């Protein structure tokens, strides 16, 4: 069946997930091609950053698993804030922290420093929602997690372009 | 001594007896090694001269060699060599082949010989099978049995390839297998599935695939193997090894070509069970694909077999099995195994018309019912997609072969379902609905006029009225185009009138407030008109509508915008493109549209006190360019004799003001674009250019000499750059097609004189330069000898203070493809390698020029060079890299953004393809790219960031020292004001983060 995505063998928690369609490339508008017009950072742009992140255990993207959706991205360019809510495929998903961490790292690497970012679980979709949210909000814990070679390896795999 | 003997024998033609005599002493020697050497010598002689042997000598030698087979084992290899030579003899008398083979079968234990000698035995057999087929067949099954013993236990891949070939010939040439069918199967099938990995540096070049294919040819060559092979295949499909599964399914597929019902009968249930399991539990897409292919062949085989009167038709029961196992999956609410089931059913249905009917008539009612049961639009989409799959299969079988039409019973249900999908708010469902409608429409005589009217109504709504979805609109337009070719009447009676009405609506008639504006409604209308112009009879209605609309815009008192006129021209151009396929429509379009366009343009160019607004609009650069493309498209596909008719009207119009062929020709003044006509009239030379430069080369142009002179004159006239450029292009276009000879040389001389006179001084320098550029291009494309001379002249202008920058940009024009003149589609002479040739001929001079030039004009050389490099196919460029790299790196510091951009786009592929060479310059590259990533030009920023991304392909150890610096620097473009720049910055920075980090 579906091969493991880096978590080493073993049974998958959700072996047969529903697969959602990928949205296409964002069409380029005339305004975007105009040198003079500034394009503000919007929800779609943030969504494009995170939709291609690979799931840690399926050879699928977070978008295909409906873990991230554009409607769950809130962004304000002038106030420099981003909030992303993600929905684990099952309420007991043990990958939730890892998925959140991948999203967080992707945003850290891709957004200007001025942004304050908040990554959390869609309310009511996970058993240990608060614990996970707390970990993701804690800067020091995120930094410490990235010092861990094994965790960093998995996160990097999630962020690598799909071959 | 042996070599001397050989030489004598072959060159002088001494008798073999001589050689035998000479070696007699060694042949009788008691020491086996010496005897072996003697025989080896004799065998080598025979290999050289077997064609010269007489029958008597052959008999003698064969007896000798057969006898030697009984000798010491050391001697045998040489004996076999000799027999191989003799097996090639033409003079071999009947009966001896059999006798040699019998002797080998009897005396030699082949599998204990070394590989080379086993190969010799196979060669002897192959040679005899080629030339003595009848004699060998006389041996009956003994021959087969003998061979089985010879190859039993063979291990070498080189020998196996030959042995498999022999077995294949045994079977296909109908040698008697007697009671040895199973033995023959065993001795070959023991290699299945092939498991062979060629050793590294294998000089023999035998691939696993070669062995697989030649063994498959043997196994699948006869139905007589079926009872042994099918159980083996089933066993291997059921195994865990991926390659074994694939090979088995492919072999089964091959077998179906020769098997019939009789062979398959007992194994069908197991075969189906195995295939079903593989497809349901797809471990790999390849296995799934092979499983489906095998099912398709199995079904085809069952459909094809001729039945005896008393036999039961296995096809029906087989299909019933498949249906029984798959249909309940189609009905399960969670839809988990829906796709695998549908794929299986479609694979079987794709095998034959009968299978298709059987399955479709069972599955369609089920799917129709399911569609109504499910309410979510994505589930409905899945079901409709399956239905679409089954409908598409119907197209594989033509109706003549069939008694009934399985779809006719479901027609009404299918139509209502499709229309339901088309009215659903989900775009995805609409899209599938549109595709299904196209497929239904392609079924001959299925849709009734009523259905078609409804369908056209839906397509009209989707392509015209719906607001949001662009993809749906495009799909609906495309579907309209396809269906219009099949049902022109439905479209001309139900859609064209609606669109015609729509075109007449003025802004004032539209309700204020919501709804699309007049402009966008007209635009959609024009798109729809051109989309459905796929049938000649429809073109006869749409073309007049479009032209009428254009005239109407001219007469109306509303303000016709440039963009609206251009939109009409674009529609006309699309119609012209669709007409190109059909010579009659092509001529109709040409004859109707071109006089009308010319008349409008001539009218607009008349000196008049009060121009209507459109008249001015028609003379604008962009509008004329749009008309140029209509005229070009309508001309390129004309047949030469029709084109000649047209040219006889149009050239006199421009040269003599002969307006008689224009539809409305009462103009207030004369039309004299080349004489002292107004500047408006001169602009219309662009339309003349569009026409004459698109004609087939064989069409003779009347008054050519005069035309060329007039064009040349106009090209250096300084009052209006648009018309002088058009004249220069037209001149160049004609020059390119003109056959070599005295007249061409005259034209060229005139042009060169004109250019030199203009360039020397005065107000026309820039016009003369444009003329030079276009003439050079015309000649470069056709490899004319004068082209190098003109190119040098152009290169000289790079250091001209006034024309230098223009000359640099000129190189871009020389290297790129034009759209209006000098195109392949317009029958210009364009040699395929002209860019490479231009590169080799001129780049060294450009580089020299760069080094020699004074500082202030150096950028011109860089820019010219960048253009040449940029347009060159990258594979041609790569080998030149070492010589040019230093120049390119220098070009990165050039302040000109065109040079920067083109240099970056040169370097980017080089980073990907030649990372080793580029590694040497890492320091320069990082610094320059980062600098350019804050350039004021967005395109340069994007290209620089793409290069930063491409840099990550260099070896990681080279990059790591730069990683912290680069990651810091790339934080800035993350906040660029342009989204497209940010996108590149994100991907570049992301890759740099991964460098040398675990998990990347």
């Amino acid at each position: 069946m579906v091969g493991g995505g880096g978590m080493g063998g073993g049974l998958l928690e959700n072996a047969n997930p529903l697969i959602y369609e990928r949205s296409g490339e964002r069409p380029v508008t005339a305004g975007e091609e105009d040198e003079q017009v500034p394009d503000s950072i919007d929800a779609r742009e943030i969504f494009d950053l995170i939709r291609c992140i690979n799931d840690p255990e399926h050879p699928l993207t977070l978008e295909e698993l409906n873990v991230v959706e554009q409607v769950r991205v809130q962004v304000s360019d002038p106030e420099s804030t981003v909030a992303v809510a993600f929905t684990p495929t099952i309420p007991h998903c043990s990958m939730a922290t890892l998925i959140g961490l991948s999203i967080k790292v992707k945003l850290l690497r891709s957004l200007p420093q001025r942004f304050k970012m908040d990554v959390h679980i869609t309310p009511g979709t996970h058993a240990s929602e608060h614990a996970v949210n707390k970990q993701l909000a804690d800067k020091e814990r995120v930094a410490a997690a990235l010092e861990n070679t094994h965790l960093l390896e998995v996160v990097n795999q999630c962020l690598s372009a799909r071959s | 001594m042996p070599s001397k003997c050989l030489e004598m024998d072959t060159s002088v033609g001494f008798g073999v007896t001589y050689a035998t005599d000479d070696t007699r002493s060694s042949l009788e020697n008691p020491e086996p090694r010496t005897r072996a050497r003697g025989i080896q010598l004799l065998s080598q002689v025979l290999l050289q001269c077997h064609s010269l042997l007489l029958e008597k000598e052959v008999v003698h030698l064969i007896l000798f060699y057969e006898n030697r087979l009984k000798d010491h084992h050391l001697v045998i290899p040489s004996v076999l060599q000799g027999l191989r030579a003799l097996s090639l003899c033409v003079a071999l008398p009947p009966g001896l082949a059999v006798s040699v083979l019998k002797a080998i079968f009897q005396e030699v234990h082949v599998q204990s010989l070394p590989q080379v000698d086993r190969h010799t035995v196979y060669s002897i057999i192959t040679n005899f099978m080629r030339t003595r087929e009848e004699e060998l067949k006389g041996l009956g099954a003994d021959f087969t049995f003998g061979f089985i013993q010879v190859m039993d236990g063979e291990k070498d891949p080189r020998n196996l390839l030959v042995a498999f070939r022999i077995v294949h010939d045994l079977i296909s040439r109908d040698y008697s297998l007697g009671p040895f069918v199973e033995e023959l199967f065993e001795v070959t099938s023991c290699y299945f599935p092939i498991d062979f990995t060629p050793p590294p540096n294998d000089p023999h070049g035998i691939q696993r695939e070669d062995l697989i294919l030649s063994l498959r040819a043997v196994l699948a060559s006869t139905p007589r193997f079926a009872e042994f092979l099918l159980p083996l295949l089933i066993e291997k499909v059921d195994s865990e090894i991926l390659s074994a599964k694939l090979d088995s399914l492919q072999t089964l597929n091959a077998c179906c070509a020769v098997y019939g019902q009789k062979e398959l009968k007992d194994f069908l249930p197991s075969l189906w069970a195995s295939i079903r399991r593989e497809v349901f539990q797809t471990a790999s897409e390849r296995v799934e694909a092979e499983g489906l292919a095998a099912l398709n062949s199995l079904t085809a085989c069952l459909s094809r077999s001729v039945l005896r009167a008393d036999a039961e038709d296995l096809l029906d029961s087989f299909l019933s099995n498949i249906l029984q196992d798959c249909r309940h999956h189609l009905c399960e609410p969670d839809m988990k195994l829906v796709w695998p089931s549908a794929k299986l059913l479609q694979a079987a249905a794709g095998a034959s018309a009968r299978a298709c009917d059987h399955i479709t008539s069972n599955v369609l009612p089920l799917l129709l019912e399911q569609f109504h049961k499910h309410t979510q639009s994505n589930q409905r989409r899945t079901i409709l997609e399956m239905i679409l799959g089954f409908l598409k299969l119907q197209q594989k079988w033509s109706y003549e072969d069939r008694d009934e039409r399985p779809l006719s019973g479901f027609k009404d249900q299918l139509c209502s379902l499709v229309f339901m999908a088309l009215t659903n708010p989900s775009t995805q469902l609409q899209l599938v609905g549109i595709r299904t409608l196209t497929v239904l429409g392609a079924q001959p005589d299925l849709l009734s006029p009523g259905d078609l009217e409804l369908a056209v109504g839906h397509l009209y709504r989707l392509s015209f009225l719906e607001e949001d979805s662009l993809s749906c609109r495009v799909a609906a337009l495309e579907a309209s185009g396809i269906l219009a070719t099949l049902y022109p009447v439905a479209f001309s009676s139900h859609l064209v009138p609606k669109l015609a009405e729509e075109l007449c609506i003025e802004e004032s008639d539209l309700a204020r407030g919501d709804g699309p504006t007049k402009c966008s409604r007209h635009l959609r209308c024009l798109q729809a008109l051109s989309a459905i112009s796929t049938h000649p009879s429809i073109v006869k209605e749409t073309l007049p509508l479009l032209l009428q609309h254009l005239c109407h815009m001219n007469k109306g008192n509303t303000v016709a915008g440039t963009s609206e006129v251009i939109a009409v021209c674009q529609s006309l151009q699309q119609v012209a493109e669709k007409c190109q396929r059909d010579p009659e429509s092509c001529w109709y379009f040409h004859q109707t549209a071109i006089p009308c366009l010319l008349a409008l343009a001539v009218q607009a160019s008349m000196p008049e006190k009060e121009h209507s607004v459109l008249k001015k609009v028609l003379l604008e650069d962009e509008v004329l360019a749009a008309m140029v493309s209509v005229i070009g498209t309508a001309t390129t596909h004309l047949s030469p004799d029709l084109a000649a008719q047209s040219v006889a009207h149009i050239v006199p119009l421009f040269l003599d003001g002969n307006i008689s062929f224009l539809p409305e020709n009462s103009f207030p003044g004369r039309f004299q674009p080349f004489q002292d006509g107004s500047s408006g009239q001169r602009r219309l030379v662009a339309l003349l250019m569009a026409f004459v430069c698109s004609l087939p080369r064989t069409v003779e142009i009347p008054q050519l000499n005069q035309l060329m002179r007039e064009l040349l004159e106009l090209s250096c006239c300084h009052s209006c750059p648009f018309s002088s450029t058009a004249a220069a292009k037209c001149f160049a276009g004609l020059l390119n097609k003109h056959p070599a000879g005295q007249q061409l040389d005259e034209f060229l001389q005139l042009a060169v004189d004109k250019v030199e006179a203009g360039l020397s001084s005065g107000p026309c320098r820039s016009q003369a330069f444009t003329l030079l550029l276009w003439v050079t291009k015309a000649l470069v494309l056709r490899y004319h000898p004068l082209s190098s001379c003109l190119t040098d002249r152009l290169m000289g202008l790079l250091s001209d203070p006034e024309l230098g920058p223009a000359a640099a940009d000129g190189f871009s024009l020389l290297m790129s493809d034009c759209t209006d003149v000098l195109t392949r589609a317009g029958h210009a002479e364009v040699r395929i390698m002209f860019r490479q040739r231009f590169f080799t001929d001129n780049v060294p001079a450009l580089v020299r020029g760069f080094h020699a030039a004074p500082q202030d004009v150096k950028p011109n050389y860089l820019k010219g060079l960048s253009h040449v490099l940029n347009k060159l196919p990258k594979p041609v460029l790569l080998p030149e890299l070492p010589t040019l790299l230093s120049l390119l790196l220098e070009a990165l510091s050039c302040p000109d953004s065109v040079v920067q951009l083109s240099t970056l786009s040169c370097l980017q592929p080089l980073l990907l393809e030649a990372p080793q060479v580029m590694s040497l310059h890492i320091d320069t590259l990082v610094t320059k790219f980062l600098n350019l990533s804050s350039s004021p030009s967005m395109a340069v920023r994007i290209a620089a960031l793409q290069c930063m991304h491409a840099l990550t392909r260099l070896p990681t150890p080279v990059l790591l020292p730069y990683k912290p610096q680069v990651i810091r620097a790339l934080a800035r473009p993350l906040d660029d004001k342009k989204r497209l720049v940010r996108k590149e910055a994100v991907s570049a920075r992301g890759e740099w983060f991964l460098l040398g980090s675990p998990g990347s």
Side-chain angles (χ1 to χ4, degrees), chain A residues 16 21 25-26 28 31-42 45 49 108-112 114 149 152-153 156-157 160, chain B residues 281-283 336 381 428 936-939 941 971 974-980 982-983 986 989-991 993-994 997-1000:
Chain A
N16 205 356
E21 198 184 15
E25 284 285 303
R26 177 180 195 156
V28 177
E32 284 173 6
E33 281 173 341
D34 186 335
E35 300 254 4
Q36 306 311 322
V37 187
D39 315 316
S40 65
I41 296 181
D42 59 12
E45 185 167 342
L49 293 175
L108 281 170
R109 290 178 182 178
S110 312
L111 284 178
R114 61 186 167 91
T149 318
L152 183 60
E153 181 179 344
N156 278 341
Q157 274 165 356
S160 297
Chain B
Q281 305 177 0
T282 38
K336 285 254 148 105
R381 183 185 117 205
Q428 297 302 328
S937 152
M938 164 168 129
R941 295 202 299 277
L974 288 181
D975 211 1
D976 198 284
K977 69 173 176 178
K978 299 305 297 174
R979 180 169 297 126
L980 296 172
R982 295 197 293 264
K983 195 175 147 204
V986 165
R989 195 166 189 251
E991 282 304 307
F993 261 110
L994 293 176
S997 190
S1000 54

Side-chain angles (χ1 to χ4, degrees), chain B residues 69-116:
Chain B
L69 282 172
K70 297 191 174 82
D71 201 337
H72 193 274
H73 71 91
L74 283 175
V75 183
I76 299 296
S78 311
V79 176
L80 290 172
Q81 283 297 331
L83 284 172
R84 184 166 78 89
L86 291 169
S87 73
L88 291 165
C89 281
V90 193
L92 192 77
L96 284 188
V98 169
S99 134
V100 168
L101 287 178
K102 270 187 172 165
I104 292 178
F105 293 160
Q106 202 171 345
E107 304 295 343
V108 188
H109 185 247
V110 178
Q111 288 307 322
S112 53
L113 296 171
Q115 182 268 330
V116 183

Side-chain angles (χ1 to χ4, degrees), chain A residues 16-160:
Chain A
N16 205 356
L18 270 180
I19 299 174
Y20 292 77
E21 198 184 15
R22 273 180 282 157
S23 43
E25 284 285 303
R26 177 180 195 156
V28 177
T29 62
E32 284 173 6
E33 281 173 341
D34 186 335
E35 300 254 4
Q36 306 311 322
V37 187
D39 315 316
S40 65
I41 296 181
D42 59 12
R44 172 71 202 248
E45 185 167 342
I46 303 293
F47 180 63
D48 278 337
L49 293 175
I50 57 177
R51 69 188 180 93
C52 295
I53 297 177
N54 300 318
D55 182 82
E57 59 168 18
H58 295 287
L60 296 167
T61 63
L62 296 187
E63 179 184 23
E64 286 169 310
L65 293 168
N66 217 31
V67 172
V68 294
E69 291 167 277
Q70 191 176 330
V71 291
R72 303 198 189 283
V73 175
Q74 313 294 331
V75 62
S76 161
D77 195 359
E79 292 167 26
S80 301
T81 55
V82 176
V84 173
F86 67 99
T87 319
T89 51
I90 47 173
H92 294 281
C93 182
S94 63
M95 298 291 156
T97 319
L98 196 53
I99 293 175
L101 190 61
S102 302
I103 297 175
K104 185 111 191 183
V105 171
K106 177 73 189 187
L107 293 179
L108 281 170
R109 290 178 182 178
S110 312
L111 284 178
Q113 277 168 344
R114 61 186 167 91
F115 273 86
K116 183 176 175 333
M117 46 199 80
D118 167 32
V119 176
H120 59 269
I121 292 183
T122 314
T125 60
H126 196 266
S128 36
E129 185 186 323
H130 291 290
V132 175
N133 287 348
K134 207 171 154 191
Q135 287 198 49
L136 289 173
D138 187 336
K139 272 188 189 171
E140 282 172 15
R141 294 188 72 157
V142 169
L146 295 179
E147 298 290 316
N148 176 327
T149 318
H150 176 67
L151 265 180
L152 183 60
E153 181 179 344
V154 180
V155 168
N156 278 341
Q157 274 165 356
C158 294
L159 300 186
S160 297

